[in-house]
Amino acid sequence: MEHISLTINGQKISCPPETTVLEAAEQHGIKIPTLCHHPDLKPVGACRLCLVEEEQGGRVMASCVTPVAQDMAIRTDSARIVKHRRNIVRLMMAEHPESCLVCSKGNRCRLREIAAQMGLGETGLYPMPNGKPLETLNPFIVRDLSKCILCGKCIRADHELVVAGAIDYHRRGFKSRPATLHDLPLESSTCTFCGTCVSICPTGALSTTLSGYVGTPEREGVTTCGFCSVGCSLRLGAAGEHVIEVNPSGVTGSVNGATLCVRGHFAHDYLNSATRLTGPMIQKEDEMMPVSWEEALDTVARRLLEIKKVHGPQSIGFYGSSKCTNEENYLFQKMARTLVGCNNVDHGGYLTPRTALQGIQERTAGECRINRLASLEQAEAILVMGADPDQSVPVLGYHLRRAARKGVPVVGVDVRKTDLSPLAETWLCISPGKDLEWIHCLTALLWKKFSHDPAFIERFTQGFESYGESLSSFNPERLCLTTGLDMRVLNHVVDVVKGRKISFVIGHGITRQVQGARCMDAILNLALMTGSLGPGGGGLYVIAPENNEAGAWDMGSVPDALPGRIPLGEASGRHRFERAWRVRLSPDQGLNVLRMVEEAEKGNLKALYVMGENPVKSLPQHDRVAAALARMEFLVVQDILDTETVQKADAVLPGAAFSEKPGSFTNMEGRINCFQPVVEPPGESRPDWEILDRLGQKLGNPQPFGAVSEIREEMVRLIPQYAGLADISEGEWTWIRPLEGTRLFSPQGPGDRIPFSSLEKSEYEAGDDAYPFTAVLGPLRFHLGSGTRTGASKRIAGFD
Ligand code: SF4
């Protein structure tokens, strides 16, 4: 495409035709003040501050909405333009209340900044305060619309980025302001309290509810949200050693852009909770006593070694966390395998998608893991199956809503309607437990209508012939009868997705059900048949509730695989780790967390090391789990909060939250985010990697790591998928890499082909007379998982 040539302030500039004058100026270092402009929003030219003048003819125009034209000559700083801008700012200031000294936007208020840059103090106008009542009813957002300059950013962010439609302009002229439908309080509207409007507001009209004025953060740092698997990029503001403010980082290419959700924006006040653990403790004569780190670690090491000596390594279990970093999970499983000598390692993700994803991992060798959420907005068709992203992973929900708005056909399949259903092209409500039937039904119908992708099948798959044969034997009409669906609606869905690459968004409704693994197998078959994998389009977007479930698995924090997801039974992979770690590793699968509880009940598991999990609350049958833990000879809990499990511990080791330590998380897209601490851990608490490293020495490790960078070096050496970590710095990200020799979708041609799996029959059984109901579990927008961290947030508690 030919570039356009123009001059701005006499400087010759060349840029693509669709560029606006404002963008062209910014790209060449020429600053134009703006208040209503944001790179992620459609320009509207509302504030008029970005006015510029055409040299020939003197036409004055808003640069944010004016496209460049060939041979244009623009002045951004003529006397006329500067006068116009000063007058606009003077009028805004005359209307603005004089509460700058205690405004939480403080010296970051864009209006104040621009006025200062223009040398404007006194306006020379009569004050015209536009008094509005302060709205402070909800625990998240304070609205002081007397400070609103009507830039419309909050409304546009709500409509264009979050697609919630909670606010719009209300009234006209001087009385105009953003308001909810019928001008109700935010808490009575469709507002989800994502806080995007707060971050994007250029003045103090919208701010975060705080218990008192805390001023401007002393420093800021970019990190990754520690809640869900979207892994949003955050900018944390800190004062002293407290995080006082959370905003989207604004880093180009981040998964969340200018948005966050209510948890990311507001629930991080749990970091300052009074229930934070601040020092190590040991149970002495039936009482928890504070002790030094040396004593705590000596005791833990001594007890673990004693139990190992008397009962053997299999009597000890290690329950790690998908909330901890990759480096910590790597150390955790290494400690279990090399220093204690068992494979009894698991993490909190066991009860979530891992078991359902095992088959996909085996069939594709992890080749289909990179699926960028941003690609959903360019998808050809999206199938949302058993997922409620608006509640579980809200930023993924925004991507889906934007896709639907752009005309991408979104088909939802669930046992109930969710917040996404009004935007969907079609919404299918199926009977509980009938997902496998409906997936088979859709696949068989597509096959019958010749809607498969022969080129993809030929190039990348194997076993289609026999799979196609078994599909032919299906009778979709009969199958459909069992699903509670109408055949006409199903045929409509077939017409919608036919010939398109499908992006599959898969949630707890699939992965957490009894038939999860079968359903995932069937979905992969459907994806292969329609050519919906790889760089050509489509993909599997499997929602993991917690932030680092993928990373914990990659690091080998599981009972059946080593780092890099190498199955324990695979001799060559195991030998590689044996050589690197200089130990013999057992090829036998260890205990998963449920088996650990069962073995504890039987008295076989004598000790458990829990890191960053709260099994008494997060596992089903709380009382049973509590009783099993009570039978243990020794329970170590390493955590940041005083949880129900901490209450049962013999030794408590206080860890650090994500904002207080360096590390990396791997999100659901396959993106590895690296981060640095923004504040120090409270009291004597220490980063989990450091605790593990020091404890490792006491358990007999002669070579401690001493730094996260050293752990990473070993990870890069031993886990090829994480080789990209070597090339990036803190605050940056890299992507999971495919394994050498399995570059399935590389331009050099396919490696191993992905096999079709045989069609599995459904084994779902409806309830009997004793248990006649089927529980349909779902996530909550305001809480994550069992709510251990979000439950410690005062703001979330104030809304519950
Ligand atoms: Fe954090 Fe997930 Fe919300 Fe993003 S969507 S802010 S990662 S909880």
Side-chain angles (χ1 to χ4, degrees):
M1 192 185 298
E2 251 186 51
H3 273 43
I4 301 262
S5 301
L6 69 157
T7 63
I8 302 182
N9 296 347
Q11 187 179 333
K12 283 199 174 137
I13 279 173
S14 165
C15 54
E18 69 277 10
T19 315
T20 63
V21 172
L22 177 67
E23 287 165 347
E26 278 177 352
Q27 284 160 14
H28 291 82
I30 300 166
K31 291 211 164 86
I32 300 176
T34 63
L35 276 170
C36 71
H37 179 73
H38 190 283
D40 292 353
L41 300 175
K42 285 189 204 125
V44 288
C47 71
R48 313 310 285 174
L49 266 193
C50 70
L51 292 179
V52 292
E53 184 176 11
E54 211 171 8
E55 283 185 22
Q56 304 107 349
R59 187 164 65 109
V60 171
M61 53 216 169
S63 59
C64 69
V65 286
T66 306
V68 292
Q70 185 62 33
D71 300 329
M72 224 179 195
I74 296 289
R75 290 241 56 109
T76 68
D77 55 0
S78 67
R80 190 168 161 227
I81 287 297
V82 170
K83 189 176 167 198
H84 275 316
R85 280 198 202 124
R86 286 175 65 89
N87 282 339
I88 292 165
V89 175
R90 282 172 68 221
L91 285 166
M92 284 181 186
M93 288 171 70
E95 199 191 349
H96 212 72
E98 292 174 348
S99 52
C100 294
L101 279 180
V102 289
C103 177
S104 62
K105 273 276 157 63
N107 47 15
R108 289 161 308 152
C109 168
R110 195 66 192 120
L111 176 62
R112 209 168 114 178
E113 223 175 85
I114 289 172
Q117 281 160 6
M118 289 179 174
L120 278 171
E122 296 289 327
T123 64
L125 300 170
Y126 282 115
M128 304 174 279
N130 194 356
K132 305 266 179 9
L134 199 63
E135 295 171 37
T136 57
L137 278 180
N138 69 76
F140 306 115
I141 300 175
V142 176
R143 292 207 302 168
D144 182 356
L145 294 185
S146 58
K147 294 175 184 166
C148 176
I149 56 167
L150 284 178
C151 65
K153 274 183 173 173
C154 56
I155 295 171
R156 287 181 288 143
D158 171 66
H159 293 195
E160 295 172 26
L161 304 181
V162 183
V163 198
I167 49 173
D168 213 328
Y169 290 104
H170 180 64
R171 308 182 88 171
R172 286 170 183 238
F174 199 61
K175 292 186 173 167
S176 178
R177 65 201 160 91
T180 64
L181 186 65
H182 304 308
D183 205 12
L184 294 169
L186 285 177
E187 50 278 19
S188 308
S189 73
T190 54
C191 175
T192 60
F193 294 102
C194 67
T196 303
C197 58
V198 175
S199 299
I200 219 164
C201 175
T203 70
L206 299 171
S207 55
T208 300
T209 302
L210 297 163
S211 48
Y213 177 69
V214 290
T216 305
E218 291 162 10
R219 60 190 185 284
E220 291 187 326
V222 173
T223 183
T224 304
C225 181
F227 285 122
C228 84
S229 60
V230 173
C232 291
S233 179
L234 306 179
R235 188 175 298 278
L236 299 186
E241 290 311 330
H242 285 109
V243 170
I244 59 165
E245 192 177 270
V246 183
N247 284 301
S249 72
V251 173
T252 310
S254 66
V255 65
N256 50 309
T259 64
L260 289 178
C261 79
V262 63
R263 296 189 299 253
H265 205 122
F266 297 110
H268 280 113
D269 60 342
Y270 85 87
L271 294 168
N272 307 323
S273 161
T275 58
R276 284 293 304 266
L277 298 170
T278 54
M281 289 181 286
I282 294 286
Q283 190 81 247
K284 288 184 179 174
E285 292 162 13
D286 283 344
E287 217 184 316
M288 262 312 191
M289 303 295 289
V291 292
S292 68
W293 269 110
E294 205 53 24
E295 184 179 345
L297 294 176
D298 276 341
T299 308
V300 173
R302 180 175 48 78
R303 290 295 288 125
L304 290 179
L305 291 175
E306 278 170 7
I307 290 170
K308 177 182 168 184
K309 195 169 172 197
V310 177
H311 303 286
Q314 300 312 323
S315 64
I316 303 175
F318 289 80
Y319 187 37
S321 176
S322 37
K323 305 174 198 81
C324 288
T325 64
N326 289 324
E327 293 76 7
E328 288 159 354
N329 273 292
Y330 179 81
L331 272 193
F332 192 67
Q333 59 82 37
K334 188 177 173 187
M335 183 165 88
R337 294 193 160 107
T338 63
L339 300 175
V340 174
C342 69
N343 285 319
N344 300 335
V345 195
D346 207 345
H347 69 271
Y350 176 78
L351 290 177
T352 48
R354 198 179 86 79
T355 36
L357 285 176
Q358 188 68 43
I360 294 210
Q361 170 69 26
E362 282 163 15
R363 282 168 68 191
T364 64
E367 281 270 344
C368 310
R369 287 185 58 192
I370 294 183
N371 293 296
R372 298 176 195 226
L373 296 195
S375 306
L376 286 169
E377 290 172 55
Q378 286 88 48
E380 294 179 15
I382 302 176
L383 265 183
V384 182
M385 309 164 85
D388 191 355
D390 288 307
Q391 302 283 336
S392 57
V393 279
V395 167
L396 166 56
Y398 310 156
H399 281 283
L400 289 174
R401 290 167 163 270
R402 293 200 290 264
R405 273 283 168 85
K406 285 179 181 168
V408 176
V410 175
V411 175
V413 194
D414 211 310
V415 293
R416 61 189 159 186
K417 290 202 166 174
T418 70
D419 291 346
L420 186 64
S421 50
L423 288 150
E425 205 278 345
T426 308
W427 197 265
L428 308 179
C429 279
I430 55 162
S431 307
K434 294 295 172 188
D435 297 272
L436 190 60
E437 283 85 345
W438 108 263
I439 299 164
H440 283 339
C441 204
L442 177 69
T443 314
L445 281 172
L446 282 166
W447 168 235
K448 285 195 175 179
K449 295 195 178 190
F450 302 105
S451 187
H452 56 289
D453 185 337
F456 182 95
I457 292 168
E458 165 72 24
R459 184 151 185 232
F460 297 116
T461 73
Q462 53 177 304
F464 183 67
E465 230 163 76
S466 58
Y467 177 73
E469 267 169 35
S470 34
L471 271 184
S472 315
S473 65
F474 268 138
N475 180 339
E477 283 81 5
R478 198 177 316 146
L479 204 55
C480 186
L481 278 179
T482 64
T483 63
L485 296 176
D486 184 331
M487 197 62 199
R488 280 169 307 175
V489 186
L490 207 53
N491 271 317
H492 171 70
V493 173
V494 169
D495 290 338
V496 170
V497 300
K498 190 175 164 197
R500 296 175 193 251
K501 307 243 178 234
I502 307 169
S503 300
F504 299 86
V505 177
I506 303 152
H508 62 279
I510 298 284
T511 54
R512 276 193 179 180
Q513 60 165 278
V514 184
Q515 309 208 82
R518 282 195 179 86
C519 287
M520 289 306 301
D521 255 354
I523 293 169
L524 180 58
N525 285 341
L526 176 55
L528 293 176
M529 193 183 87
T530 53
S532 304
L533 284 182
L540 305 179
Y541 296 79
V542 186
I543 296 172
E546 285 184 350
N547 61 324
N548 201 28
E549 289 191 20
W553 186 359
D554 290 339
M555 293 304 117
S557 228
V558 291
D560 54 356
L562 289 162
R565 303 192 177 186
I566 308 249
L568 274 170
E570 191 188 300
S572 62
R574 197 177 63 251
H575 293 333
R576 197 158 58 81
F577 279 94
E578 286 179 337
R579 282 194 297 276
W581 292 343
R582 298 192 186 150
V583 288
R584 295 280 299 182
L585 295 169
S586 163
D588 300 329
Q589 179 172 339
L591 302 173
N592 63 37
V593 64
L594 297 187
R595 292 281 323 282
M596 287 183 207
V597 172
E598 284 168 5
E599 291 305 312
E601 281 177 324
K602 291 181 203 156
N604 296 332
L605 198 78
K606 305 288 184 188
L608 184 64
Y609 193 133
V610 180
M611 176 178 78
E613 283 295 331
N614 183 12
V616 173
K617 195 172 175 197
S618 62
L619 294 180
Q621 304 185 36
H622 305 333
D623 292 344
R624 185 174 163 191
V625 176
L629 295 188
R631 289 205 64 182
M632 296 265 172
E633 284 185 20
F634 192 57
L635 174 65
V636 191
V637 182
Q638 182 173 316
D639 210 324
I640 59 170
L641 294 166
D642 189 3
T643 66
E644 289 80 353
T645 308
V646 165
Q647 296 293 324
K648 309 226 160 300
D650 298 294
V652 176
L653 307 176
F658 73 99
S659 52
E660 299 151 6
K661 59 189 176 186
S664 62
F665 291 141
T666 307
N667 79 351
M668 64 174 290
E669 297 178 293
R671 185 191 305 237
I672 310 166
N673 288 302
C674 280
F675 49 87
Q676 274 291 331
V678 181
V679 290
E680 284 291 317
E684 292 175 51
S685 58
R686 299 306 306 150
D688 299 76
W689 71 265
E690 192 183 308
I691 301 170
L692 296 172
D693 203 28
R694 285 177 65 184
L695 180 62
Q697 278 177 272
K698 292 185 185 293
L699 287 169
N701 179 18
Q703 287 176 316
F705 286 99
V708 161
S709 55
E710 306 286 314
I711 307 170
R712 245 180 233 167
E713 232 177 83
E714 184 167 311
M715 283 161 53
V716 165
R717 212 162 7 95
L718 295 178
I719 313 172
Q721 297 96 321
Y722 279 67
L725 271 179
D727 308 328
I728 58 164
S729 314
E730 307 308 333
E732 296 179 341
W733 62 75
T734 182
W735 297 89
I736 292 282
R737 290 198 182 161
L739 294 171
E740 282 298 325
T742 58
R743 293 174 187 276
L744 195 64
F745 298 116
S746 76
Q748 289 82 38
D752 293 338
R753 290 157 190 263
I754 306 177
F756 276 89
S757 67
S758 54
L759 283 167
E760 295 243 24
K761 290 259 169 359
S762 172
E763 284 185 2
Y764 175 77
E765 284 175 18
D768 54 24
D769 287 347
Y771 294 97
F773 299 111
T774 301
V776 179
L777 306 178
L780 294 172
R781 179 181 288 128
F782 290 84
H783 284 286
L784 193 88
S786 58
T788 296
R789 287 171 298 164
T790 45
S793 156
K794 277 191 186 163
R795 294 198 189 104
I796 299 285
F799 199 71
D800 277 348

